Amino acid sequence: MTTQRPVILTGDRTTGQLHLGHYVGSLRNRLDLQETHDQFLLLADAQALTDNAHNIAKVRENVFQVALDYLAVGIDPAKSTICLQSALPALAQLSMLYLNFVTVSRLERNPTIKDEIQARGFGRDIPAGFLCYPAAQAADITAFRATLVPVGEDQAPLIEQTNEIVRRINAAAGADLLPEARALIPPVGRLPGIDGRQKMSKSSGNAIPLSASADEISHAVRQMFTDPNHLRVEDPGCVEGNVVFRYLDAFDPDKEELEALKDHYRRGGLGDQKVKRRLEDILQALLEPIRERRLELAEAPDYVMDVIRKGTGRAREITDRTFDDVARGLGLVVL
Ligand code: TRP
């Protein structure tokens, strides 16, 4: 049975626990969207392997961890479908087809891939699976006929490339086999690491995981970079580029009070300690129920694996059907 609601597909590589950057970048959107959309969340273990072939245990263990994160923040398996990428054969089948509709040079020019290759220091030794993962991500998105993809801004070039592939497939088939998709990117922009670096990531040690303990949250907020020239309370401070204010922009529900706080900080007379205390209260209140729920769910691994198994079963039917439609539409033999 399929519903008439618009379809969302999104996912996360299973390389580590999710953190506040994921929450701001897309999890928060996904919580709202599951009320109005038919939402699929992909545990992207196959994509995680494209740069972790030497560390399969990590990829495997984090399938469970990322599923825990989804459920703990409030992704509801009655509303959203959580599924395992490597267990969906149609995704691999579609990827193989799509690779014939994209050139190596186009893959190399994809800005996301370019950045990631640099960050990983691959040089010339790029795993072929890694270079080609934009075609696989196009397979992920189109296999569900998704039209909306809630992701962080770094993923936008991948959605663009997906749509290029969609247009080529449709042109080759002479029919609108697949819909184009749109990235849904939150207006607050990317949440920086606590050290002010652009990207929050576990490997850089500048992330606050969703499972952080109360002490870890306090510690992270204390470590957070502020305005380096704001030395005494009475000094005027700079809000722009100040990590604590970037976080308040992302999490403080009271925008009016926040604006007043910023004015005070700019004028001088407001110490970093006070601003940090406000942020810490907000983060503690946000993360406490998530952490509690996560601990409970971790005690029920059979339930969590069952959610993944059921979701993957549902996803398998949908994605198999799409592969058949695409193969038939392109004029392949379908048995
Ligand atoms: N590339 C995403 C990440 O880095 C994971 C992902 C895989 C994804 N397939 C997807 C995201 C499809 C959105 C849509 O975490």
Side-chain angles (χ1 to χ4, degrees), residues 138-216:
D140 299 342
I141 293 167
T142 55
F144 292 88
R145 300 184 181 281
T147 52
L148 199 59
V149 187
V151 282
E153 61 188 352
D154 60 311
Q155 298 283 301
L158 294 168
I159 316 300
E160 227 172 275
Q161 188 154 19
T162 296
N163 288 335
E164 272 176 43
I165 293 174
V166 164
R167 288 193 287 272
R168 287 193 179 161
I169 295 281
N170 288 345
D176 279 342
L177 284 184
L178 298 168
E180 291 189 34
R182 185 165 67 79
L184 182 72
I185 295 164
V188 290
R190 176 185 273 176
L191 194 68
I194 60 170
D195 57 0
R197 270 194 282 177
Q198 258 323 298
K199 198 171 165 136
M200 178 183 274
S201 74
K202 193 178 169 187
S203 52
S204 315
N206 64 0
I208 304 179
L210 296 175
S211 62
S213 68
D215 280 352
E216 286 165 341

Side-chain angles (χ1 to χ4, degrees), residues 65 244 302:
Q65 295 300 326
V244 180
D302 292 347

Side-chain angles (χ1 to χ4, degrees), residues 161-292:
Q161 188 154 19
T162 296
N163 288 335
E164 272 176 43
I165 293 174
V166 164
R167 288 193 287 272
R168 287 193 179 161
I169 295 281
N170 288 345
D176 279 342
L177 284 184
L178 298 168
E180 291 189 34
R182 185 165 67 79
L184 182 72
I185 295 164
V188 290
R190 176 185 273 176
L191 194 68
I194 60 170
D195 57 0
R197 270 194 282 177
Q198 258 323 298
K199 198 171 165 136
M200 178 183 274
S201 74
K202 193 178 169 187
S203 52
S204 315
N206 64 0
I208 304 179
L210 296 175
S211 62
S213 68
D215 280 352
E216 286 165 341
I217 297 166
S218 299
H219 184 73
V221 173
R222 256 182 290 148
Q223 299 284 303
M224 232 174 239
F225 283 30
T226 57
D227 170 4
N229 298 315
H230 185 240
L231 297 174
R232 285 164 307 184
V233 172
E234 58 274 21
D235 289 341
C238 188
V239 165
E240 280 65 40
N242 186 318
V243 179
V244 180
F245 280 103
R246 291 278 299 275
Y247 276 60
L248 284 169
D249 278 335
F251 294 106
D252 196 329
D254 193 335
K255 299 298 167 210
E256 229 167 89
E257 255 184 59
L258 177 57
E259 285 315 308
L261 201 72
K262 287 181 180 175
D263 284 343
H264 191 177
Y265 193 81
R266 288 192 186 100
R267 277 198 312 274
L270 177 60
D272 283 346
Q273 295 309 323
K274 258 204 165 137
V275 190
K276 285 190 169 182
R277 198 157 323 124
R278 181 184 180 91
L279 175 63
E280 187 186 335
D281 288 347
I282 292 171
L283 293 183
Q284 295 285 11
L286 171 74
L287 291 178
E288 188 189 61
I290 295 176
R291 178 174 63 242
E292 300 288 302

